Amino acid sequence: MALPSMLAKQSGVYVRSNGRSGLSTSSYKGLGSLQTPVTINGVNMQSPMNGTIDLTLINGFHFNVLSLGHQYNDQVGSSNMGNSIDLCSSIQEPTIDYNLGFNSLLGRTLGLKCSGEKERWRYGISVLADNSPNAIDLSIYGLDEKQENANYSRYSLLFQNDLRLKNNNQWNSTFYFVSGESGVPQTLVDRNQNRQQDVLGSLSNRYVHRITSTGLLELNNQIAFQNIRFDNKLVGVTESQAVSVNTTLRYWKNIWENWNTAIGLANENTIYNSDALETPTSWNRYRAFLQVNRKGRKSQFDADLGGQLYSQTLHPNFRIQHASVYRQRLRLKTSVERVFRLPTLNELYWYEPGRAFGNSNIEPEQGYKADVIASYSRIRFSLSLNPHAGRYENWVEWRGFPIIRPVNVRNVSVVGTEIQGSYRISLGQASIISQVTYHWVRSRYAGLNWFESNNSQLIFTPEHTGNTTITYLASTLSAYINAQFIGKNYVTSDNSIFLEPFTQLEVGGSYQMKNWRFGTTISNILNQPYFTQPNSPMPGRLLTLNINYNIPLKKT
């Protein structure tokens, strides 16, 4: 399953999409894709060029854990302001896994997973090919035709390596590669024939060296390459490349009983070349950090302090968190943070005469935010309540006509609450699980006063989102129904134009037969028209079939 679909159905993240072949970006807790990191096994994958990542370039086939968390200063890659979308792929027991998929838009997927283990070495590899003509039937939008220029093909690979060395030292690595080519889907008002090609590769290495029984040295490094080739049939081809080398060095030590501390230094180094630059450019950014942790029997304290020098000014950040357990069932976690986001390379240096220019004088976005998470759990029932608030300054927007450029135009004030709950019913060897997520967020343009704000919601940031899933699980059979709700979605900064609310229904199930597994889903059951951005039609009713075959292997 593509990452945009996973996020929409399993979390409170809103996904703005141009369709299955078009650009998809995220919004969570009132912040957008520029402020929301996406990590793969702890490494930030946001582009140094444009500050975001197209979520359609990441397929959930490669990963077994999707979570929403916090970005820490020892993480490889750029610091940012929002919660992170974290993807992890742990190496499984030795096996070979084949996957074949089809959908009613004539899409085809072919995947292979393989993992193995030999003495101290473990490895895992997954490969996926995904392509489709993706010709959406536009009859539900009142047009007797199919969407054109929406075809796509993507090929991706994930390789993991884990080697346990002598003296409890460890080395592991992750290589992720994806290559994609797609049309920019035609909208209801634009008959473009534009095309885009994407190539993204990231190799990360982590080496842990135990110096003493209470201290260790950890070195993390990422070498990444990104190429974007955009073919605008009216203007011409724009090709951009970035090569990044990001490194984090951390020394960790247990200093006294349950107290741990770590100090570290991080570097971000990128070389950038583009047809939309006057000359190739680069950045070389350093940050330092200090981390303190105390873990007690029923409570835990964490402090993460850092600072980065930019434009001869020190930009500090910190995160102070306390978590506690009451009567084993009630957990309370509170955190306060100071955050910042440095300008991207495009925001600083873009050069496209007659259309757009970068701005080397823009200031970093920065602000404060706070979270409280109260959760209660029993054997069959769990409930969590997460009120959150934030105030951010120097918000960057591209403005102007006919030439646009990034400017620090406004401040942003955010307040919201996320509610999650689940309940399990046992039926002999089977069970029924119901899960509910609701997120209310007011993300408003604000004045100079801390508490001052106007009534304009940030664009592409719905105030109300939610989803509900009911799942039936048995030994060989599973089935589910999912409902997703997206509230009113404003697309202009004065809130004069908006997209109508919509609800999507999906059903699915699977059957296990020895080493075979057969699955199916039907999305948008009611075949309703809907939009996540103006005039960009989304698919109607969509049938997907999957066949999986698993071969267990012996350890050697």
Side-chain angles (χ1 to χ4, degrees):
M1 181 183 292
L3 182 57
S5 298
M6 293 173 61
L7 289 170
K9 295 175 177 62
Q10 302 178 20
S11 71
V13 176
Y14 168 72
V15 177
R16 172 189 175 189
S17 177
N18 277 354
R20 296 173 64 86
S21 67
L23 176 68
S24 293
T25 56
S26 61
S27 172
Y28 183 56
K29 289 189 175 181
L31 301 179
S33 59
L34 285 172
Q35 296 82 24
T36 305
V38 178
T39 71
I40 291 179
N41 289 345
V43 175
N44 190 354
M45 301 299 291
Q46 284 178 298
S47 168
M49 295 188 286
N50 54 37
T52 187
I53 182 170
D54 183 355
L55 299 178
T56 62
L57 296 178
I58 302 177
N59 198 293
F61 173 80
H62 299 288
F63 308 98
N64 49 24
V65 178
L66 168 64
S67 61
L68 301 174
H70 295 276
Q71 190 179 30
Y72 296 90
N73 276 311
D74 60 353
Q75 185 170 285
V76 178
S78 300
S79 296
N80 216 313
M81 302 200 300
N83 288 61
S84 58
I85 299 170
D86 299 323
L87 295 158
C88 295
S89 180
S90 58
I91 299 175
Q92 305 298 305
E93 292 295 316
T95 185
I96 298 177
D97 195 86
Y98 300 93
N99 186 276
L100 184 64
F102 308 91
N103 66 43
S104 54
L105 288 175
L106 304 183
R108 302 174 300 276
T109 61
L110 178 63
L112 170 68
K113 287 184 177 181
C114 179
S115 57
E117 182 174 348
K118 185 176 182 180
E119 296 180 350
R120 296 174 177 266
W121 181 48
R122 301 169 65 231
Y123 69 90
I125 185 170
S126 57
V127 183
L128 182 71
D130 180 15
N131 65 79
S132 173
N134 195 38
I136 297 174
D137 185 353
L138 299 179
S139 60
I140 60 174
Y141 296 91
L143 298 175
D144 187 19
E145 59 184 275
K146 292 187 176 181
Q147 188 181 35
E148 297 183 7
N149 199 46
N151 61 304
Y152 65 87
S153 60
R154 303 186 187 102
Y155 305 93
S156 54
L157 176 148
L158 179 72
F159 175 77
Q160 291 178 269
N161 170 78
D162 189 347
L163 182 63
R164 299 184 297 277
L165 305 172
K166 295 181 180 180
N167 302 319
N168 293 320
N169 299 327
Q170 186 176 9
W171 169 58
N172 52 53
S173 62
T174 299
F175 176 63
Y176 183 72
F177 176 83
V178 59
S179 175
E181 196 278 336
S182 63
V184 178
Q186 292 184 353
T187 69
L188 299 182
V189 296
D190 181 10
R191 302 298 178 175
N192 78 85
Q193 293 293 328
N194 302 335
R195 310 288 298 180
Q196 180 164 321
Q197 295 178 1
D198 293 271
V199 176
L200 173 65
S202 171
L203 172 64
S204 60
N205 286 277
R206 175 178 176 264
Y207 174 70
V208 179
H209 178 68
R210 185 164 292 278
I211 301 174
T212 66
S213 60
T214 60
L216 57 84
L217 190 67
E218 181 179 343
L219 177 65
N220 287 275
N221 174 262
Q222 178 202 28
I223 301 173
F225 170 77
Q226 183 181 18
N227 186 91
I228 301 175
R229 187 180 189 274
F230 186 77
D231 185 1
N232 186 317
K233 299 302 182 181
L234 298 178
V235 178
V237 175
T238 302
E239 191 161 2
S240 304
Q241 307 91 23
V243 178
S244 299
V245 179
N246 302 317
T247 305
T248 301
L249 180 65
R250 185 179 79 130
Y251 175 69
W252 176 93
K253 185 174 178 59
N254 175 249
I255 53 176
W256 181 63
E257 292 184 354
N258 297 325
W259 286 89
N260 305 315
T261 187
I263 58 173
L265 183 68
N267 172 249
E268 304 151 30
N269 197 328
T270 297
I271 299 173
Y272 179 34
N273 189 22
S274 173
D275 296 331
L277 296 178
E278 287 188 285
T279 58
T281 188
S282 64
W283 70 29
N284 189 22
R285 297 171 172 177
Y286 289 90
R287 71 176 186 271
F289 58 88
L290 169 67
Q291 297 171 320
V292 178
N293 167 271
R294 181 193 182 278
K295 188 172 184 179
R297 190 169 63 90
K298 291 188 176 182
S299 66
Q300 181 172 327
F301 169 81
D302 294 278
D304 188 2
L305 318 173
Q308 189 158 7
L309 192 65
Y310 174 76
S311 191
Q312 300 181 336
T313 300
L314 180 63
H315 295 273
N317 68 348
F318 64 78
R319 180 168 182 263
I320 309 297
Q321 177 179 289
H322 182 266
S324 54
V325 180
Y326 302 92
R327 297 184 179 180
Q328 299 183 339
R329 300 189 184 280
L330 179 62
R331 299 176 182 269
L332 183 65
K333 182 186 294 185
T334 58
S335 64
V336 178
E337 298 180 64
R338 188 191 192 279
V339 295
F340 65 83
R341 181 185 74 85
L342 300 185
T344 67
L345 287 163
N346 284 354
E347 289 173 334
L348 292 169
Y349 305 116
W350 192 261
Y351 184 79
E352 192 176 3
R355 295 175 61 87
F357 292 99
N359 180 0
S360 60
N361 295 318
I362 57 173
E363 295 291 326
E365 297 175 341
Q366 59 188 13
Y368 295 87
K369 64 177 186 175
D371 274 86
V372 177
I373 303 177
S375 59
Y376 177 80
S377 62
R378 296 183 68 88
I379 297 176
R380 298 181 178 180
F381 171 75
S382 68
L383 178 68
S384 70
L385 182 67
N386 176 202
H388 59 87
R391 168 80 180 198
Y392 308 97
E393 301 174 349
N394 301 328
W395 197 261
V396 176
E397 292 183 359
W398 288 75
R399 291 274 185 105
F401 182 81
I403 298 174
I404 61 172
R405 66 177 66 237
V407 291
N408 299 109
V409 291
R410 302 188 183 187
N411 300 328
V412 170
S413 178
V414 175
V415 61
T417 299
E418 187 173 38
I419 302 172
Q420 295 182 343
S422 67
Y423 187 76
R424 176 189 291 265
I425 300 174
S426 296
L427 301 172
Q429 298 297 316
S431 61
I432 296 176
I433 303 171
S434 59
Q435 298 169 298
V436 177
T437 298
Y438 168 73
H439 192 192
W440 167 76
V441 60
R442 288 188 57 174
S443 186
R444 305 293 173 96
Y445 295 109
L448 297 178
N449 184 283
W450 181 270
F451 298 101
E452 179 187 354
S453 66
N454 62 28
N455 291 321
S456 295
Q457 181 87 346
L458 251 65
I459 61 173
F460 299 108
T461 308
E463 189 168 335
H464 301 278
T465 59
N467 58 71
T468 300
T469 304
I470 299 175
T471 306
Y472 172 80
L473 294 174
S475 58
T476 60
L477 182 67
S478 68
Y480 74 90
I481 180 169
N482 173 270
Q484 178 198 10
F485 171 76
I486 302 296
K488 185 181 293 186
N489 190 4
Y490 295 102
V491 300
T492 56
S493 57
D494 63 357
N495 288 182
S496 60
I497 301 176
F498 59 87
L499 302 177
E500 294 288 347
F502 65 86
T503 299
Q504 290 290 299
L505 294 178
E506 177 179 289
V507 296
S510 66
Y511 177 72
Q512 186 81 34
M513 186 176 63
K514 294 184 178 180
N515 295 354
W516 292 89
R517 184 174 182 270
F518 304 91
T520 183
T521 62
I522 305 176
S523 305
N524 193 2
I525 299 173
L526 302 180
N527 203 32
Q528 294 179 326
Y530 69 101
F531 301 92
T532 60
Q533 75 169 24
N535 299 309
S536 294
M538 299 294 288
R541 188 181 297 113
L542 181 66
L543 172 66
T544 303
L545 301 174
N546 281 285
I547 303 172
N548 179 273
Y549 183 70
N550 179 273
I551 305 175
L553 301 177
K554 293 182 179 180
K555 296 182 180 180
T556 59

